[in-house]
Amino acid sequence: MPDGDTRNVLEVNNLRTVFGTRSGEVHAVNSVSFHVKPGELLGVVGESGSGKSVTMMSLIGLLPSPPADVREGEVLLDGEDLLKVTPDRLRDVRGGEVGFIFQDPMTSLNPVFTVGYQIMEPVRRHMGLNKKQAKARAIELLELVGIPGAAGRLSDYPHQFSGGMRQRVMIAIALACDPKVLIADEPTTALDVTIQAQILEIVEDLRAKLGMAIIWITHDLGVIAGIADRVAVMYAGQIVEHAPVFPLFNDPRHPYTRALLKTIPTVSGERAAKLQVIEGQPPMLGAAPTACPFRDRCPLVFDRCHAENPLRADVGDGHDVACFHPLAHTAKEAVA
Amino acid sequence: MTRPLVKVRDLKMHFPIYAGLLRRQVGAVKAVDGVSFDILEGETLGLVGESGCGKSTCGRAVLRLYDITDGEITVDGRAIGSEDQRSLRKMRPTMQMVFQDPQACLNPRMTVGSIIGEPLVEHTAMSKAERTDKVRDLMDKVGLNAAFINRYPHEFSGGQRQRIGIARALALNPKFIVCDEPIAALDVSIQAQVVNLLEELQDSLGLTYLFISHDLSMVRHIADRVAVMYLGKVVELAPRDALYDEPLHPYTEALLSAVPEPDPAKAGQKRDRIVLQGDVPSPANPPEGCNFCTRCPRVMDVCTRLDPEFREVKPGHWAACHLHD
């Protein structure tokens, strides 16, 4: 947990992103707000299509427009609204102040440039180092992420690295300019568990060393439990629950979070005879939400859920939940 | 004691590597290198391992989707290891497969009805009306609305597409189904639906599964016995609880400890996590001795010289490791 420094390095308020498609609009992100402090790791969980990646890409203008359109909201990086700055300034931010690790290490490196070149590129662009300094920095970075024989591997091409190694290179690139905020978009999803364990270890280590804020997107609740300080659960383009990591797992309030935690089997403890399922499918996001997006799959659904979209309401200790049902606000998980 | 439905003995599947001007064979990728196991009737054998360890190849080789390099396979009392593909066709109805990617394994130009009905056209003499009835019945069984029979695969979600794949595999009343990572491409909440469906079908139809997955927690849920593969070899094979409670092979141990627990309290105290160093060696050039010796935290001298034998360490619990010699 961060100590002392309570200023938010990144604050997002009411972000709304809409895609225009031939068959109408898709409201991928609906009024999403969150913040991170320096040294803090915010986990964002949700199923595919819940808008996790789109939210993060909206922050630093990585979505092509059209079709994407960031309609509303503000993204404050140290008080500066990134949605209003010039394209030039945004280029300085990307890779400089905000690092981004993409999901697929296989395709997010350029196959025709050497790994060394790709690491040196942001360093020279953002930090103004000359070739020699940039090279020294690149070697330092590769050593930092645990690639053996770093100096010798700078002139290698991405295909000469394995998946886990490539993801380390991606992390090295994202860290190249000492970003204030690191956004990691499912960085371990494409990797095996043993390699994932290596990457998680590196990230823990780097966070302690460098003290940046990290936003970690994943659909794996196990990963989140291990590394996050706070967790935001996304469903259908909205944050439905947000809490520090312990209350989220021990005292989940939103019916979706509760159900999600029950659907996953574990490698230890009791083995259930049958897996709990969440019936049905996530909703289509054809229009701005006018009712609770989880209503069709919710065991606690009642009249009000069909009429209004719940807003996130505080239930104490930095825990908030977007649900009308009184059980979400008072009781522990007994009935749900 | 139920009899083994599937017997695999010393299965080898090597893919040749050709290189040079004359495309001479310069080596082989030993994707599956001497694997033996039995699958009892009505049970689920889980096959786990990291990507590239040969688990999918193993599953496909058992069904003879490849011409295997060496070894014996017996399915339902019939040796199919060296049979040619033509005479195997008659055998195909008893053994079927559910593929990993529900997007790629369904022909986008065929309707759901014709996809599920295709095996019936190939292998039975049913009339068109009988086929339609059977297809509707199958769709019903896997929880798809039979009214969607004339729709195309792209109109379905991932979980529903996987159900189509399962219905197709069930069409010929098979006894044995190889499920090759059937849930890897699905979301957590949908995974549970598909796994429950597979279990229900097993109970009602008495199916036998080879369930290939890299998700150890899901395998713990569905499998009766579990085999762990590493670099083309099965390193440990045991009943589920024995394997998860006391793994005998260091690789299994490391693999289990690497699975993140969805519980922050456990994650905090779990400092005894074993993090393996390095990557899996190339199956074209496996290390001498034990395949795992390059990453094993408990490596001994003998491991770099001798390949450990796969033997029964405890009743029903097999492992290939010098620690248990």
Side-chain angles (χ1 to χ4, degrees):
Chain A
M1 273 296 197
D3 38 16
D5 203 349
T6 50
R7 140 194 87 87
N8 293 332
V9 58
L10 181 73
E11 194 175 328
V12 176
N13 293 320
N14 268 326
L15 188 73
R16 271 186 62 205
T17 304
V18 178
F19 288 92
T21 67
R22 264 196 292 181
S23 48
E25 291 186 333
V26 175
H27 291 247
V29 180
N30 295 306
S31 306
V32 166
S33 308
F34 61 89
H35 60 90
V36 267
K37 297 186 168 80
E40 195 179 33
L41 199 150
L42 173 72
V44 179
V45 279
E47 296 177 70
S48 45
S50 62
K52 316 181 288 285
S53 300
V54 174
T55 305
M56 298 312 154
M57 289 170 97
S58 308
L59 299 187
I60 48 173
L62 285 179
L63 293 170
S65 175
D69 175 17
V70 180
R71 290 246 165 111
E72 240 181 79
E74 47 180 14
V75 178
L76 302 173
L77 179 72
D78 270 341
E80 183 186 13
D81 191 345
L82 295 184
L83 296 181
K84 297 208 176 75
V85 298
T86 60
D88 272 351
R89 170 71 187 129
L90 207 53
R91 288 194 63 174
D92 287 338
V93 170
R94 290 185 201 131
E97 283 154 61
V98 178
F100 211 107
I101 305 173
F102 294 92
Q103 173 167 6
D104 190 351
M106 306 298 157
T107 53
S108 37
L109 288 169
N110 191 330
V112 300
F113 289 105
T114 63
V115 159
Y117 178 84
Q118 294 186 58
I119 301 177
M120 286 189 271
E121 193 182 2
V123 186
R124 297 185 65 189
R125 164 76 173 73
H126 293 297
M127 296 168 88
L129 302 184
N130 65 31
K131 243 181 172 167
K132 214 166 155 194
Q133 291 165 319
K135 193 172 173 192
R137 174 76 179 149
I139 295 172
E140 185 191 327
L141 284 163
L142 283 185
E143 275 166 1
L144 192 71
V145 294
I147 289 183
R153 301 219 64 172
L154 284 183
S155 53
D156 282 355
Y157 287 88
H159 73 267
Q160 290 165 295
F161 288 75
S162 67
M165 295 281 232
R166 266 183 257 184
Q167 196 56 288
R168 286 168 203 232
V169 172
M170 285 301 295
I171 294 176
I173 294 175
L175 293 175
C177 305
D178 290 327
K180 294 175 192 158
V181 181
L182 177 69
I183 301 175
D185 186 359
E186 309 226 12
T188 59
T189 304
L191 306 175
D192 281 311
V193 276
T194 59
I195 309 296
Q196 170 171 292
Q198 293 174 1
I199 299 285
L200 291 180
E201 197 129 286
I202 290 170
V203 170
E204 287 271 296
D205 197 40
L206 290 177
R207 181 156 75 112
K209 262 189 223 160
L210 307 176
M212 72 202 120
I214 303 178
I215 300 174
W216 190 280
I217 307 175
T218 180
H219 63 255
D220 188 335
L221 287 159
V223 171
I224 284 293
I227 58 168
D229 296 316
R230 282 186 299 123
V231 185
V233 180
M234 284 193 76
Y235 185 79
Q238 303 180 35
I239 293 181
V240 293
E241 184 162 6
H242 162 253
V245 66
F246 277 90
L248 188 98
F249 282 87
N250 302 331
D251 181 20
R253 296 300 181 88
H254 198 280
Y256 175 65
T257 318
R258 288 176 180 175
L260 203 58
L261 284 169
K262 276 189 201 153
T263 56
I264 40 173
T266 61
V267 290
S268 61
E270 283 295 295
R271 180 181 162 276
K274 207 149 183 62
L275 288 177
Q276 285 255 346
V277 299
I278 309 176
E279 291 298 340
Q281 300 287 333
M284 302 297 291
L285 303 169
T290 52
C292 177
F294 192 57
R295 64 187 184 281
D296 293 334
R297 305 171 83 187
C298 183
L300 300 176
V301 65
F302 64 112
D303 295 347
R304 199 173 165 198
C305 308
H306 295 284
E308 263 180 88
N309 186 23
L311 296 173
R312 283 160 64 189
D314 201 353
V315 292
D317 298 326
H319 193 154
D320 59 63
V321 56
C323 183
F324 289 126
H325 202 280
L327 276 177
H329 296 271
T330 52
K332 279 212 167 198
E333 173 193 15
V335 191
Chain B
M1 187 76 188
T2 38
R3 70 187 176 103
L5 183 78
V6 180
K7 266 193 205 167
V8 176
R9 288 290 171 272
D10 205 26
L11 176 66
K12 285 187 182 149
M13 185 65 232
H14 296 179
F15 295 99
I17 307 169
Y18 299 103
L21 192 62
L22 299 169
R23 314 311 292 168
R24 268 193 251 260
Q25 186 177 343
V26 292
V29 175
K30 295 174 180 165
V32 178
D33 197 21
V35 164
S36 306
F37 56 81
D38 288 343
I39 309 176
L40 306 181
E41 202 158 356
E43 83 164 347
T44 303
L45 179 73
L47 188 59
V48 295
E50 294 179 86
S51 49
C53 72
K55 49 189 196 309
S56 288
T57 308
C58 182
R60 288 163 161 260
V62 168
L63 289 187
R64 285 293 317 279
L65 296 184
Y66 297 124
D67 286 328
I68 59 174
T69 311
D70 197 14
E72 284 168 41
I73 305 165
T74 314
V75 176
D76 200 19
R78 183 165 160 188
I80 58 166
S82 50
E83 218 167 312
D84 66 90
Q85 295 292 352
R86 183 181 287 269
S87 58
L88 266 176
R89 277 184 75 82
K90 294 229 165 50
M91 183 72 189
R92 294 265 172 229
T94 45
M95 45 187 205
Q96 288 289 319
M97 185 151 184
V98 176
F99 294 92
Q100 172 167 11
D101 187 347
Q103 180 95 44
C105 75
L106 303 175
N107 188 336
R109 296 182 163 224
M110 284 166 79
T111 61
V112 172
S114 51
I115 288 173
I116 302 175
E118 197 180 14
L120 300 171
V121 178
E122 288 288 324
H123 289 280
T124 66
M126 285 184 181
S127 71
K128 203 170 178 194
E130 283 171 328
R131 274 207 310 269
T132 314
D133 279 352
K134 174 80 182 170
V135 169
R136 283 176 181 278
D137 182 43
L138 283 164
M139 289 180 76
D140 217 36
K141 238 183 223 163
V142 297
L144 286 168
N145 189 339
F148 296 162
I149 191 164
N150 288 321
R151 294 201 181 184
Y152 289 90
H154 73 264
E155 296 173 80
F156 293 86
S157 68
Q160 285 173 317
R161 276 187 217 145
Q162 199 54 279
R163 286 168 196 264
I164 299 171
I166 294 170
R168 174 175 62 185
L170 289 175
L172 295 165
N173 303 318
K175 289 183 175 167
F176 174 52
I177 298 183
V178 173
C179 305
D180 184 7
E181 307 236 18
I183 52 166
L186 305 175
D187 267 316
V188 210
S189 73
I190 311 295
Q191 282 185 356
Q193 294 177 4
V194 171
V195 165
N196 279 352
L197 172 70
L198 286 171
E199 287 192 313
E200 281 161 26
L201 291 170
Q202 181 168 42
D203 289 344
S204 60
L205 305 172
L207 298 170
T208 305
Y209 291 140
L210 175 63
F211 190 89
I212 301 169
S213 178
H214 63 261
D215 185 340
L216 286 140
S217 40
M218 203 50 100
V219 166
R220 176 167 184 259
H221 179 81
I222 195 171
D224 300 304
R225 289 190 306 143
V226 181
V228 182
M229 268 187 93
Y230 184 77
L231 211 61
K233 291 190 170 152
V234 173
V235 295
E236 187 163 0
L237 172 69
R240 177 190 63 225
D241 292 338
L243 187 105
Y244 282 85
D245 295 343
E246 351 163 23
L248 293 178
H249 198 281
Y251 177 63
T252 317
E253 229 176 306
L255 205 57
L256 286 173
S257 81
V259 179
E261 285 271 350
D263 182 348
K266 277 187 194 151
Q269 57 183 243
K270 208 174 181 181
R271 280 296 111 204
D272 51 346
R273 184 164 68 184
I274 308 162
V275 177
L276 292 178
Q277 296 307 316
D279 288 305
V280 186
S282 157
N285 184 21
E288 200 152 321
C290 174
N291 273 349
F292 188 51
C293 69
T294 53
R295 297 171 85 197
C296 182
R298 292 153 79 178
V299 65
M300 302 178 289
D301 281 348
V302 61
C303 304
T304 53
R305 284 183 285 111
L306 280 178
D307 193 13
E309 194 193 340
F310 186 58
R311 55 191 203 87
E312 196 163 12
V313 178
K314 289 177 194 172
H317 198 145
W318 297 65
C321 183
H322 287 301
L323 286 172
H324 304 286
D325 279 346

